[in-house]
Amino acid sequence: MSSDPARKFTLDDLRAARVSGTKVPMLTCYDYTTARLMQEAGVPALLVGDSAANVILGHPTTVPISLDFMIDIAAAVRRGAPKCLLIADMPFGSYQASTTQGVKNAIRMMQLSGCDCVKIEVASGQIRLVRRLADAAIAVIAHLGLKPQSIGLIGEYKVQGRTAPDAKQIVQLATRVVRAGAAGILLEAVPPSVAAAVVEAVSVPVIGCGAGPACHGYVFVTHDALGLTPRRPKFVPNLGDLATPMAEAFRHYVQLVNSGKYPAAEHNYGEKPIEK
Ligand code: KIV
C-alpha cells in the first residue's frame, strides 16, 4: 500500500516504485470479500484476471469468459478494495475484432467496473489499439510473454522467450507497446534474463508473473498460492494451504447435520407472542 494506508495506491505510485526500487506485491482477485481482506492486509494492487475462467468458472482455458462477467467481478473487487490499484483483464473476444471494438469495450470496462487500468494481451496487431486506448486516456497494461488467450495458436502453456530470437521479439514488442502509450507491462512466463532486458528497454513499470526478480512488481493466481488448485506452478510462493481447513470445515458441517447436532436450540429463532 502507499505509505499512508488511507490513500489510494495509484499508477503514479507504481511508477514511483520503479524509480525507487520498491517492489510491488500484486495478487489476482475475483470477489468483494477477498478484495476487502487483501486491502486490509496491505496488498497495494489487484488484478482481476481472466484466470477467473479457470479458478472461478472451471474452464480449462481463459477463452470462454465473457466481458460482462469480467465487468461484474471487477466491480465487486472495486467495492471491496477502493484503495487498491485495480487492473482488469479484457477477455478474449472483447478487443480482437477491431480497434473500435477494443476501445468501446475498454471504455465499458472502465465505466462499469471502476477499474484504474485495463490489461490486454498484445501482439503486433494490437499496437494500434494500445495507441487508441492511450489517446482515449485509458491506462493500458500490455501483457507479453506467455499469452493464455492465444492457446489456440500456441497449443500449450509454455515458457516464452527461451531462444535468442524469441527473447529479442519480446523485448522489441515491449519497446513498441510503450512507444504506443502503454502505461505498464505484464510479463508472463519468461526467463529472468528476458525480463531484465525488458526492464532495461522500457521506461514503464513491469509486473512479472513467473518472470524473475528484475520486475518492479509480482503477480500470480492467488488460488495457486493458497493451495486451492491441484498444482502450484514453480514460480508461485506457497502462502499456505486453505484447501485442507476448508474441506475439514465442510466435512464437519456434514457430520453436524448427520448426527442431528445441527440445528441446535441456539440456532433457532424465538417465537413472538401473538399480540392481542
Ligand atoms: O489472468 C490472470 O490472472 C493473469 C495473470 C496470471 C498474469 O493474467
Side-chain angles (χ1 to χ4, degrees):
M1 203 52 81
S2 66
S3 46
D4 174 5
R7 199 173 68 74
K8 188 174 184 303
F9 190 86
T10 66
L11 193 53
D12 253 357
D13 293 314
L14 189 60
R15 293 186 186 110
R18 175 182 167 120
V19 175
S20 68
T22 311
K23 302 291 185 170
V24 178
M26 184 183 292
L27 286 172
T28 63
C29 188
Y30 317 99
D31 69 281
Y32 166 83
T33 303
T34 311
R36 213 165 40 77
L37 292 171
M38 286 176 173
Q39 179 175 293
E40 259 172 50
V43 181
L46 305 180
L47 168 66
V48 181
D50 60 356
S51 50
N54 313 122
V55 296
I56 303 298
L57 298 179
H59 294 295
T61 74
T62 57
V63 169
I65 202 163
S66 72
L67 177 62
D68 285 347
F69 186 81
M70 287 301 296
I71 289 173
D72 276 350
I73 61 172
V77 170
R78 175 83 294 166
R79 288 189 287 273
K83 303 273 188 257
C84 293
L85 177 74
L86 185 60
I87 301 172
D89 251 345
M90 295 301 293
F92 181 74
S94 69
Y95 60 93
Q96 285 87 351
S98 68
T99 303
T100 305
Q101 180 212 32
V103 175
K104 273 190 181 160
N105 282 334
I107 289 173
R108 201 158 157 251
M109 171 62 91
M110 297 280 298
Q111 288 187 319
L112 298 181
S113 75
C115 69
D116 301 301
C117 313
V118 296
K119 175 163 82 60
I120 59 172
E121 296 185 10
V122 175
S124 6
Q126 268 92 38
I127 299 281
R128 212 167 135 240
L129 173 59
V130 172
R131 187 166 293 116
R132 284 283 310 280
L133 290 171
D135 287 348
I138 294 172
V140 50
I141 307 295
H143 183 145
L144 308 178
L146 175 61
K147 292 175 280 186
Q149 290 178 16
S150 304
I151 185 66
L153 206 57
I154 59 180
E156 59 173 324
Y157 299 122
K158 57 175 183 254
V159 178
Q160 303 291 303
R162 276 190 150 147
T163 64
D166 286 353
K168 192 170 163 202
Q169 209 176 27
I170 292 171
V171 177
Q172 280 176 346
L173 189 54
T175 315
R176 288 178 68 202
V177 291
V178 171
R179 233 185 274 133
I185 286 179
L186 190 142
L187 209 44
E188 179 166 356
V190 298
S193 60
V194 177
V198 169
V199 164
E200 177 78 22
V202 301
S203 53
V204 297
V206 179
I207 309 297
C209 176
C215 298
H216 308 108
Y218 310 111
V219 71
F220 41 79
V221 173
T222 299
H223 288 53
D224 288 337
L226 296 179
L228 292 169
T229 50
R231 199 184 64 83
R232 181 162 46 83
K234 179 188 171 82
F235 69 90
V236 176
N238 182 353
L239 300 183
D241 168 21
L242 294 199
T244 304
M246 282 174 80
E248 263 166 26
F250 303 145
R251 262 193 298 274
H252 180 56
Y253 169 59
V254 171
Q255 278 164 7
L256 286 175
V257 172
N258 287 350
S259 64
K261 289 186 180 147
Y262 179 86
E266 80 251 31
H267 301 118
N268 299 335
Y269 290 118
E271 283 163 28
K272 259 193 178 167
I274 296 166
E275 282 170 27
K276 293 203 177 128

